[in-house]
Amino acid sequence: MDIKITTNFSFGKLSSNLDKIINQYTEGFVKDSAEGTKQKIDKGVKPDINDITKNIRTKRKQRRTPPLKASGKLYNSIKQNKNNLEMLYYGFKHEKGFITRPNSMIPNKKVEARPFITTTAKNKEKLDKKFIQDVNKALKK
């Protein structure tokens, strides 16, 4: 008695197309990321600023909330440039978290990450659907 097993998918084909699929996904992510990132800042990002920072902003006559929009410089610098998201250098520091400089107003303070870089919800839904379709297509023999 012989047993014959057939498949209708190929992990090898997926493997050879995976870099292309991932690149298309990341390029698509950037498409609406400037708008999505600004929307997230407008809604407010966590953690909120502390009382000391609120007092400093009040003295500087800057917005107290939302975080990341005190002077507006970072917010206004967020732009899409082809397949790249551009902003002032310290935007990424806030995305990942950092420790303040020793000579700052509040020296050597750990600033928690405030993840704010994202795309619009509509674009994300479209990208996720296309990603799954591309993976399924690449799996088929």
Side-chain angles (χ1 to χ4, degrees), residues 37-113:
T37 298
K38 286 182 176 185
Q39 286 175 0
K40 183 136 186 197
I41 290 173
D42 288 336
K43 289 178 185 174
V45 293
K46 300 292 182 196
D48 199 6
I49 57 175
N50 61 32
D51 291 337
I52 294 169
T53 304
K54 287 179 183 177
N55 290 337
I56 291 169
R57 287 185 179 187
T58 300
K59 289 177 183 173
R60 290 181 179 170
K61 296 185 170 105
Q62 293 177 326
R63 303 171 160 244
R64 291 176 60 155
T65 58
L68 304 179
K69 203 171 179 182
S71 69
K73 288 179 184 176
L74 174 62
Y75 186 86
N76 292 329
S77 74
I78 298 170
K79 294 177 180 68
Q80 176 191 356
N81 182 3
K82 297 181 184 174
N83 289 331
N84 296 307
L85 178 65
E86 294 181 349
M87 68 182 73
L88 290 173
Y89 73 94
Y90 60 88
F92 189 69
K93 290 175 75 173
H94 282 282
E95 174 77 14
K96 297 296 180 190
F98 63 99
I99 297 177
T100 59
R101 295 185 315 239
N103 62 345
S104 70
M105 290 180 89
I106 308 169
N108 304 315
K109 168 118 173 47
K110 183 180 181 203
V111 177
E112 291 184 52

